[in-house]
Amino acid sequence: MAEPSAELRLTDPGTSCADFSRFLRAWVTNPLRVAAVAPSSGALARVMTHEISPALGPVLELGPGTGVFTRALLARGIAESDLTLIEFSADFARMLESRFPRARILSMDAARLARHELYEGSPVGAVVSGLPLLSMPPDKVADIVAGAFHYLRPDGAFYQFTYGPRCPVPRAILSGLGLQAARIGGTFWNLPPAAVYRISRVRQSG
């Protein structure tokens, strides 16, 4: 089966009215934290997860919201018990607990990842982020990314989508953490259209 192209145009089953309403209420309450008026589309979820396989488990997901990316990870074969979901909203966290009972769901600020011992060592093969990094101050973005890489194994990658024209992690932060970013795709079938970046460690030559 071919990998998704740079601009996916896939039929999306749509988001339930209940999820849309829940997301809209969260956006009205805190627009800077949610930063979108609707959950991410299934097309975007497929781009975000198409490089992830069961061999990369466990997987850490940041800002899962209603679980669109979570469902895509399960569709890719990731075991539910291999998922740790970091969700700041207590309402979303409770909903996720009912939808994904075998996953580990933590209601916490993703900027504090490195202050908690979520895993022993660095076993995580992939981090999937639905966080609105463009609406966050640079120091918070740096804390989130550094915390995620604290748990990522050397060949692991951090997947982030954005509505902007470039990677939402500033170059200065990437350079300071020894990271690089590559655009791996995007989709117009999202509100608004989005691009996806893979962030990984810079390989040392020699």
Side-chain angles (χ1 to χ4, degrees), residues 65 87 89-100 105 107:
E87 175 56 54
S89 166
D91 289 339
F92 280 141
R94 285 191 293 270
M95 181 204 65
L96 292 165
E97 287 173 353
S98 66
R99 292 185 174 181
F100 310 105
I105 296 151
S107 182

Side-chain angles (χ1 to χ4, degrees), residues 59 104 137:
V59 172
R104 178 170 57 160

Side-chain angles (χ1 to χ4, degrees), residues 7 44 161-164 186-195:
E7 298 294 345
L44 176 57
F161 78 91
T162 182
Y163 304 131
T187 176
F188 289 118
W189 288 96
N190 194 73
L191 181 65

Side-chain angles (χ1 to χ4, degrees), residues 106-129:
L106 303 175
S107 182
M108 58 178 281
D109 188 342
R112 302 175 66 86
L113 282 173
R115 304 182 190 182
H116 299 268
E117 290 302 320
L118 303 185
Y119 302 92
E120 292 185 7
S122 303
V124 174
V127 174
V128 174
S129 171

Side-chain angles (χ1 to χ4, degrees), residues 126-168:
V127 174
V128 174
S129 171
L131 296 172
L133 297 187
L134 286 178
S135 68
M136 297 179 181
D139 58 342
K140 182 161 189 168
V141 173
D143 286 344
I144 290 170
V145 176
F149 274 87
H150 176 71
Y151 299 110
L152 272 167
R153 55 193 188 224
D155 59 345
F158 182 109
Y159 295 89
Q160 176 70 50
F161 78 91
T162 182
Y163 304 131
R166 59 184 64 86
C167 179

Side-chain angles (χ1 to χ4, degrees), residues 32-92:
L32 290 181
R33 184 170 291 278
V34 178
V37 298
S40 299
S41 69
L44 176 57
R46 288 187 284 274
V47 182
M48 282 283 284
T49 61
H50 82 266
E51 292 188 346
I52 301 175
S53 69
L56 295 181
V59 172
L60 180 62
E61 185 179 357
L62 310 180
T66 60
V68 175
F69 295 162
T70 313
R71 287 190 290 271
L73 288 167
L74 295 176
R76 293 290 302 168
I78 305 299
E80 190 172 309
S81 58
D82 272 346
L83 295 175
T84 293
L85 313 182
I86 306 297
E87 175 56 54
F88 182 83
S89 166
D91 289 339
F92 280 141

Side-chain angles (χ1 to χ4, degrees), residues 167-188:
C167 179
V169 180
R171 288 184 180 179
I173 294 176
L174 291 173
S175 178
L177 294 175
L179 304 175
Q180 60 188 355
R183 188 182 186 277
I184 62 169
T187 176
F188 289 118

